[in-house]
Amino acid sequence: MSEPSLPEPRLPLRIAVLASGRGSNLEALHKAAENGQLPIVIVAVLSDKAESGALSYARNNGIHCVCLQPRDFASREDFDLALMQAATEQRPGLIVCAGYMRIISPAGIAVAPCPMINIHPSLLPKYPGLNTHSRALANGDSEHGASVHLVNNILDGGKVLQQVTVPVLPNDTPESLAERVLNQEHKLLIETVRRITENPQFLQSP
Ligand code: GRF
């Protein structure tokens, strides 16, 4: 008897993006969807920063936006519960953290309506946290890169789904290295999301 087939992914995959900054990963993902390269729809951009480039991009492109200000909430948990509630209302099948600069509390992660992935600019498990480019340079690494991983309760510690390697050049500064890594991040994020749309089990596979 043949193996039962895997359930078909529900397409287009509904994605909610969490972002705090410039929003170039959001833009790369959105453009890939608009060009017909990816069977996704970005159903919301949620941010903790009213002035972020990510929110401006979303507004200018007719994407549903939610901005929550941490100062309006009594605790990190209250903020995260409101954030997840706002995400849940858009019925996402995937949450993508793309330059989202707040640590999500275990209470927030527990109520996430779907799997969450994050793009991080290092070859995890190397350099979780901030300043990854200067740390790679300070250590004399010959290679640096980016990772897409599942979000769990450990900072940048969830299962790595895919990585891209970028060579460190002799005269690299944190800025020049960051720029080359960012270019690759965009491709890596698109490629990872494509694999999830093709087979949601990719999120579980070893
Ligand atoms: C990226 O380097 C991402 O890996 C990190 O924050 C940066 C966000 O860039 N988590 P952008 O806002 O997507 O342009």
Side-chain angles (χ1 to χ4, degrees):
M1 210 165 114
S2 60
E3 291 280 313
S5 53
L6 293 169
E8 287 296 313
R10 254 187 234 134
L11 298 179
L13 179 63
R14 297 173 65 82
I15 292 183
V17 175
L18 306 190
S20 307
R22 169 181 54 187
S24 70
N25 278 290
L26 162 69
E27 182 173 348
L29 211 49
H30 181 248
K31 289 207 162 125
E34 295 290 288
N35 297 338
Q37 272 179 271
L38 269 185
I40 63 165
V41 54
I42 299 182
V43 292
V45 172
L46 301 105
S47 186
D48 58 325
K49 293 270 187 268
E51 306 304 323
S52 61
L55 275 185
S56 315
Y57 181 84
R59 261 185 234 112
N60 293 337
N61 287 277
I63 304 171
H64 177 69
C65 304
V66 177
C67 181
L68 298 179
Q69 308 264 21
R71 64 167 178 263
D72 294 338
F73 294 85
S75 67
R76 177 173 292 274
E77 286 72 23
D78 285 356
F79 176 89
D80 289 342
L81 292 177
L83 183 80
M84 287 302 161
Q85 174 60 37
T88 301
E89 283 165 14
Q90 305 308 317
R91 295 177 291 108
L94 182 71
I95 293 178
V96 176
C97 301
Y100 184 62
M101 301 309 284
R102 278 175 71 83
I103 294 173
I104 304 174
S105 59
I109 291 175
V111 298
C114 57
M116 260 195 285
I117 62 172
N118 179 46
I119 180 138
H120 181 75
S122 80
L123 293 172
L124 290 170
K126 273 191 154 184
Y127 314 130
L130 297 176
N131 305 318
T132 60
H133 310 297
S134 32
R135 286 155 74 196
L137 288 175
N139 275 343
D141 292 356
S142 58
E143 286 185 331
H144 187 43
S147 308
V148 176
H149 65 91
L150 285 173
V151 174
N152 66 8
N153 289 336
I154 300 165
L155 175 66
D156 300 322
K159 191 175 75 124
V160 172
L161 298 171
Q162 276 198 304
Q163 293 186 311
V164 64
T165 297
V166 172
V168 176
L169 302 181
N171 294 322
D172 260 334
T173 60
E175 293 73 29
S176 65
L177 185 54
E179 194 182 320
R180 286 205 318 288
V181 170
L182 187 67
N183 242 309
Q184 296 304 315
E185 280 182 37
H186 298 159
K187 294 178 189 145
L188 178 73
L189 184 58
I190 291 169
E191 189 45 37
T192 307
V193 170
R194 178 199 316 290
R195 294 189 69 166
I196 295 168
T197 61
E198 286 169 357
N199 178 10
Q201 304 286 326
F202 177 64
L203 289 165
Q204 267 102 49
S205 59

